[in-house]
Each structure stands twice: as structure tokens, then as C-alpha cells.
Amino acid sequence: NAGVTQTPKFQVLKTGQSMTLQCAQDMNHNSMYWYRQDPGMGLRLIYYSASEGTTDKGEVPNGYNVSRLNKREFSLRLESAAPSQTSVYFCASSEDGGARQPQHFGDGTRLSIL
Amino acid sequence: AQSVSQHNHHVILSEAASLELGCNYSYGGTVNLFWYVQYPGQHLQLLLKYFSGDPLVKGIKGFEAEFIKSKFSFNLRKPSVQWSDTAEYFCAAKVTGGFKTIFGAGTRLFVKA
């Protein structure tokens, strides 16, 4: 009953370093999402993938790239990390049937950029 | 721009008190509305959702929310809170048929035993 699995759980980077956050779901869901959570700002959508092979920008895509290589996995990449990207990152998925809102969330990745 | 506003950032209640958390949205067109909850140390989970029909929606654990279109509101209510309701609550919205779910800033609820 893994659900949505994110790795790593914690990471500290230096400004300018690159990093890929991994996300995998075992529920055969079509749609997957990446959010960041910052104090006082709730969750903000970075990118989403409606289905395998497609990705679209959310509210705050600048500084990020994503890859949906297969149905299970949706990764988020920071090419050149900046302190403003210090946040908690959540991956989520949703089942088919037109729901199209995040239903199952991972544990989150706490990322600090120094 | 589309947005979701939650009125209170922190709420403290005693057990058995009634709860109402405010949520307003700013969207054009038909919207779907949600409340999510994040208990300490747990995943975010969906509490309830409104797509269409009866504007009074019932969710898990005795929560309900009322969609009032004229007020652009979707307030969350519970008649009698328990200590176990201590959590952070997020209101969210999206355009019907869309994928971009927008979240409010969240309300931290602390229930005193």
C-alpha cells in the first residue's frame, strides 16, 4: 500500500546546484502533480501531468522542469537551485474518471537551498 | 487571477465547540471546490468536494461544507469538534474540467482537550 512515494525526504543544496526529486505512484493513476508548500501560502502548483507523455505548467513553474517518463513516475528537476526554492515539495496523483484534482499525496521532500 | 482566500490562519477551540472555517474563491465560470486536511505528521487528504448539485456537501468525520454561489464561498463546518480534529485545513478550487487546483493559505486548527 505504498501509494505515492517521494525521494528523497530531505535535501540540502548549495545555490546553483542541480537536483531531481523523484515521485512514483503504484495506483495506475493517469494524472500527477507537483506542488510546493510554503508557510502562509498554502500549496502552489508547479507542474502537472494529465497523462503519460504530457506535462503542463502550473502557477509557479519558473526554475523547474518535469519529466513524465512513464505512467508511474513524475520527476521534478531544479537545474540551478536558488534560495527562493527552499520549500516542502509534494507530489500527488489522481485517479481517472474526470476527477482531475490531487487525491493522493506523498510524504513530501523538505528542500533547503543555502 | 484565480485565487482562494481563507479567512483565518489560526483557530483555537475547546472540545465540543462548533467550527466554521471561511473560504472564498475568485474564479470565472463553473468551479469545483474542495477541502483538504493535513493531520500532524500525515499526508494531505481530501476531506470533501463539491462538483454540482446539492450545495451542502458532507464529508468524512462529520465535516460538511456549504457552497454559496452568490457569496463565492465554501465554508467548512463541524457542529462539535474533537481533540483529534487538530490539523491544518486547506480550501481549494479549480475550473470544472481543468487540472489546475489552486489552494488557499490554510488554517491551523488547534482543539484543546
Side-chain angles (χ1 to χ4, degrees):
Chain A
N1 61 343
V4 178
T5 303
Q6 291 182 234
T7 55
K9 294 192 185 305
F10 303 93
Q11 185 69 48
V12 178
L13 294 177
K14 294 182 179 178
T15 298
Q17 288 185 314
S18 62
M19 165 134 199
T20 299
L21 308 186
Q22 305 288 351
C23 175
Q25 51 91 8
D26 61 2
M27 296 169 284
N28 202 37
H29 287 173
N30 272 337
S31 304
M32 297 184 73
Y33 313 81
W34 275 106
Y35 283 87
R36 59 178 289 175
Q37 185 179 21
D38 301 292
M41 302 188 75
L43 281 80
R44 291 181 291 169
L45 181 63
I46 305 171
Y47 272 92
Y48 67 94
S49 171
S51 60
E52 180 181 352
T54 70
T55 61
D56 284 285
K57 295 178 180 179
E59 300 172 80
V60 288
N62 291 345
Y64 305 94
N65 286 302
V66 290
S67 296
R68 183 82 184 270
L69 297 176
N70 52 57
K71 196 170 187 178
R72 287 189 65 249
E73 298 171 296
F74 188 38
S75 61
L76 178 71
R77 182 162 179 84
L78 288 70
E79 291 291 349
S80 179
S84 61
Q85 294 177 305
T86 293
S87 188
V88 181
Y89 290 85
F90 287 99
C91 179
S93 69
S94 60
E95 59 193 353
D96 298 337
R100 300 183 178 181
Q101 82 277 352
Q103 294 174 303
H104 301 273
F105 285 81
D107 287 334
T109 296
R110 290 186 178 274
L111 184 61
S112 293
I113 316 295
L114 305 178
Chain B
Q2 299 165 342
S3 66
V4 175
S5 299
Q6 292 183 239
H7 305 162
N8 309 99
H9 294 302
H10 295 91
V11 173
I12 301 173
L13 295 174
S14 297
E15 274 196 313
S18 63
L19 170 72
E20 181 160 3
L21 301 183
C23 173
N24 287 92
Y25 64 93
S26 174
Y27 269 79
T30 308
V31 296
N32 303 142
L33 297 159
F34 313 92
W35 277 97
Y36 288 82
V37 60
Q38 188 173 28
Y39 297 103
Q42 295 189 24
H43 300 164
L44 226 75
Q45 55 185 287
L46 186 62
L47 197 56
L48 48 78
K49 59 186 177 184
Y50 172 78
F51 277 76
S52 63
D54 189 343
L56 185 62
V57 180
K58 296 193 183 297
I60 60 174
K61 303 185 180 185
F63 286 91
E64 65 179 31
E66 185 175 12
F67 170 53
I68 302 179
K69 189 175 181 180
S70 61
K71 295 185 177 181
F72 298 91
S73 69
F74 190 56
N75 291 355
L76 181 70
R77 300 195 293 249
K78 186 172 184 179
S80 176
V81 295
Q82 300 172 315
W83 176 81
S84 58
D85 292 325
T86 293
E88 189 161 16
Y89 294 81
F90 295 91
C91 182
K94 71 174 183 70
V95 172
T96 299
F99 283 90
K100 292 184 180 180
T101 301
I102 306 298
F103 284 75
T107 297
R108 287 184 183 271
L109 171 66
F110 180 73
V111 180
K112 298 184 290 185

